[in-house]
Amino acid sequence: MAQNTPDHMRPLGAQISHMLKARGVDTIFGIPGVHNQEMYRGIEEAGITHVLARHEQGAGFMADGYARATGKPGVAYVITGPGLCNIMTPMGQAYSDSVPMLVLSSCLDETAARKGQLHQMKDQRGAAATVSDWSEEARTAAAAYTLIDRALTEFTTNRSRTKHIQVPIAQLQANAPQPPARLDSPVLGRTMHSGHVVKRIADALKSAKRPIMILGGGAKHGSSVYQEIATRAGVATFCTYAGRGVIAGDHPLYFGSTLARPDSTRILKQADLVVVIGSELAEVDLWRPELGHSSPTIRIDIDPSVMTGERQEGDMQIVAHASDVMDEVCDALADHTPDTLWSPKDIAATRAQWRAEIEAERPGILPVTDALKACLPKDTMIYSDMTQIAYAAKEVWDMDRPGHWHHPTGFGTLGYATPAAIGGAVARKGKPTMAIIGDYGFHYTMAELGVAVELGLSLPIILWDNGKLGEIEDSMIGAQIAPNAVIAYNPDFCKLAEAFGANSAAPKTLSQMQDAVKQAFETDGPTLIYVTPDITG
């Protein structure tokens, strides 16, 4: 920095870190390079913790896991070109699952008139835009500050989705004035809904004989109100995978996170009112083209784009934070005596039937998930991968609180669980965090195990090894395709973990597995717990 530079001037890259710290960011995940090194000038000076990933994909998943654990933005720093490309998969995952992720990257100063530069892309900003809410280039310090504040504000006021800001290298290096003073966080007052709207919803619930409520991830804030509504109005409930824990698993009118069961359409056809809260009812929620009901529908969601499609007489669509509306609806039901036709006995029988179906579809998995659930400490947060053990668990494992099981549901990427759990463990210092991943998915991001060792995270990683891409093999057989390319050579995973400096265990019984999990939570550093289907044999 020049001798005569005013004290308040620093290179823009350093100013950005100071600005983020002032806005509440305490952790950044990433990998430095020549192109983005100016972003690293201010990290330590600002008092921000930096977690060095082994690959930008790992950095992105860690930022995702951190954001899901805290509700705060997960922030990542990456370089021009390949760094940005490597993190695009996590960006897409965070976008599809409504996770607040902010990715800041460097970019080349000029790409139209100059070719052949290091890390050059034809349209880096445009590439990032395909997997984010928006992707913008800040060509001045003022623009960088404005875009950062825009991103952080939108995370709290709109549906949370990935944002990308790229800054030309010359701008990162140039001296810039201090960012504007920290702004107060946006104050979200209660959405102004007319009493007429609340009354219509409450009256519809009061008059319905077989109302059903479907609760998605958007219902996890202020979740206690939904349990009260279900009781006061006699509403049968389903949760999406993202909504698990919003309703207690032992509620007598709870059907579980079983919307994807083909037979759930039989239940939905019986409904005379369906209330959908905080869910887009995506393909990955239903695994069929339509919900399967014929009754009037009330939908409440912060995202108006999920309201598209055919409407029928009696439907209501309300764009709002769900709790703003449903708190008032709950109050309106205070003196109501439910007159429901739903039978707790029938619901329990249906859930038992569906559990039997899941056991038949995925033999031997449910005893493992039951044993895992029974041995976990209270408040354990779980990150799972695209693997059969997680697919089964998501349908039968009732959570006792919302926002404590995270899965790469929308984008559906392999390799998510290990780095995402690392991000969650960084955020949840002293609280139990666990990963569940399959053998093939572990290959994708196994290098990030070194980060968990480096940070001394007491992180159990349940590695389910069925020796193949089991879900793909089953799908091929179902489509009458001779299975091929579904088996890969696996290393000795325990020795691999030990080579990283991690702990390992290969339990032979469910009881031994439970002991290994309990010990892992008390051990310094991560523990890879290697489990195969033989554990139930």
Side-chain angles (χ1 to χ4, degrees):
M1 204 179 288
Q3 269 188 324
N4 296 326
T5 301
D7 291 342
H8 67 279
M9 299 289 284
R10 292 190 186 95
L12 177 58
Q15 296 284 34
I16 287 172
S17 293
H18 282 270
M19 179 181 184
L20 291 171
K21 177 66 173 180
R23 267 55 168 176
V25 174
D26 55 24
T27 305
I28 291 172
F29 303 88
I31 301 176
V34 172
H35 278 192
N36 73 342
Q37 66 185 15
E38 284 296 341
M39 296 164 67
Y40 282 75
R41 185 186 294 274
I43 289 181
E44 288 189 10
E45 186 181 68
I48 293 176
T49 297
H50 181 269
V51 176
L52 177 63
R54 301 307 187 252
H55 188 281
E56 287 89 357
Q57 187 177 79
F61 288 144
M62 289 176 201
D64 174 300
Y66 175 94
R68 296 196 201 209
T70 62
K72 301 192 321 184
V75 180
Y77 280 179
V78 297
I79 62 163
T80 319
L84 191 278
C85 287
N86 286 341
I87 203 173
M88 281 177 61
T89 296
M91 289 170 67
Q93 189 63 64
Y95 175 86
S96 66
D97 285 355
S98 303
V99 177
M101 180 190 294
L102 176 59
V103 175
L104 291 125
S105 74
S106 53
C107 67
L108 296 174
D109 303 311
E110 169 58 49
T111 58
R114 186 180 176 193
K115 303 297 181 183
Q117 302 174 82
L118 177 66
H119 301 331
Q120 186 161 10
M121 293 177 66
K122 292 176 68 175
D123 185 0
Q124 176 176 296
R125 187 208 61 77
T130 64
V131 288
S132 55
D133 188 22
W134 49 258
S135 171
E136 300 290 355
E137 181 172 330
R139 297 174 186 169
T140 66
Y145 302 152
T146 297
L147 288 170
I148 290 170
D149 272 336
R150 174 187 166 191
L152 298 179
T153 298
E154 290 180 7
F155 285 144
T156 62
T157 57
N158 299 341
R159 183 177 183 181
S160 292
R161 287 186 141 165
T162 311
K163 325 286 186 185
H164 168 243
I165 301 170
Q166 62 182 35
V167 186
I169 297 168
Q171 283 295 326
L172 289 172
Q173 296 169 341
N175 286 324
Q178 290 179 340
R182 179 177 180 177
L183 302 174
D184 290 335
S185 299
V187 178
L188 297 179
R190 295 182 67 85
T191 306
M192 296 304 293
H193 292 287
S194 69
H196 173 67
V197 169
V198 172
K199 185 176 186 302
R200 278 188 63 187
I201 299 172
D203 287 349
L205 287 168
K206 289 176 181 178
S207 61
K209 299 299 183 184
R210 288 187 181 271
I212 286 179
M213 188 162 53
I214 298 173
L215 301 167
K220 64 187 177 185
H221 302 293
S223 59
S224 60
V225 69
Y226 303 109
Q227 181 108 349
E228 194 64 34
I229 289 171
T231 299
R232 291 181 180 183
V235 183
T237 59
F238 287 88
C239 284
T240 68
Y241 299 138
R244 290 160 65 211
V246 174
I247 293 288
D250 59 357
H251 193 282
L253 298 183
Y254 182 46
F255 278 103
S257 51
T258 50
L259 277 176
R261 289 283 99 202
D263 188 46
S264 68
T265 57
R266 173 179 61 85
I267 304 300
L268 288 155
K269 282 183 171 65
Q270 298 175 39
D272 54 2
L273 174 69
V274 173
V275 183
V276 182
I277 300 173
S279 174
E280 59 187 333
L281 297 181
E283 177 188 33
V284 291
D285 295 319
L286 306 176
W287 294 114
R288 55 179 180 269
E290 298 176 342
L291 185 59
H293 69 306
S294 57
S295 63
T297 306
I298 299 171
R299 296 195 69 172
I300 305 172
D301 204 285
I302 195 173
D303 184 358
S305 70
V306 307
M307 306 290 194
T308 57
E310 294 185 4
R311 296 180 62 180
Q312 57 192 35
E313 186 176 354
D315 284 357
M316 289 181 65
Q317 297 182 347
I318 302 166
V319 178
H321 287 275
S323 60
D324 288 351
V325 179
M326 298 309 289
D327 282 349
E328 296 181 28
V329 170
C330 187
D331 291 342
L333 295 169
D335 298 325
H336 177 64
T337 301
D339 185 23
T340 183
L341 295 179
W342 294 116
S343 162
K345 181 179 178 181
D346 291 344
I347 290 174
T350 298
R351 291 200 68 181
Q353 173 193 326
W354 290 346
R355 179 185 169 91
E357 290 176 1
I358 296 164
E359 176 62 44
E361 293 164 1
R362 306 188 191 281
I365 290 182
L366 295 194
V368 179
T369 63
D370 289 344
L372 277 175
K373 182 180 179 181
C375 74
L376 295 185
K378 188 177 181 180
D379 195 33
T380 299
M381 185 169 285
I382 299 169
Y383 292 83
S384 60
D385 214 79
M386 302 295 284
T387 177
Q388 287 186 323
I389 187 172
Y391 303 153
K394 288 190 302 173
E395 292 196 87
V396 301
W397 189 320
D398 293 326
M399 302 297 292
D400 64 358
R401 64 198 68 197
H404 273 61
W405 187 302
H406 305 294
H407 186 79
T409 301
F411 214 40
T413 175
L414 283 159
Y416 169 83
T418 302
I422 291 171
V426 167
R428 290 166 49 81
K429 294 180 179 66
K431 296 181 179 179
T433 304
M434 184 175 79
I436 298 176
I437 194 165
D439 58 306
Y440 201 80
F442 188 73
H443 280 268
Y444 276 52
T445 53
M446 67 171 69
E448 306 305 340
L449 188 59
V451 180
V453 172
E454 194 169 83
L455 298 178
L457 301 176
S458 300
L459 177 68
I461 301 172
I462 310 299
L463 194 155
W464 175 256
D465 184 4
N466 60 5
K468 62 181 73 174
L469 285 163
E471 191 74 3
I472 309 307
E473 181 182 68
D474 292 348
S475 180
M476 285 180 165
I477 292 171
Q480 296 184 325
I481 300 170
N484 60 78
V486 295
I487 298 177
Y489 174 79
N490 278 335
D492 183 322
F493 287 111
C494 290
K495 288 183 179 178
L496 178 70
E498 291 164 8
F500 272 105
N503 309 290
S504 72
K508 302 301 182 185
T509 66
L510 294 177
S511 177
Q512 290 177 4
M513 179 188 71
Q514 291 177 316
D515 290 341
V517 171
K518 292 174 184 176
Q519 183 175 345
F521 283 119
E522 302 298 327
T523 300
D524 291 337
T527 303
L528 187 143
I529 301 173
Y530 179 74
V531 181
T532 73
D534 292 340
I535 199 168
T536 58

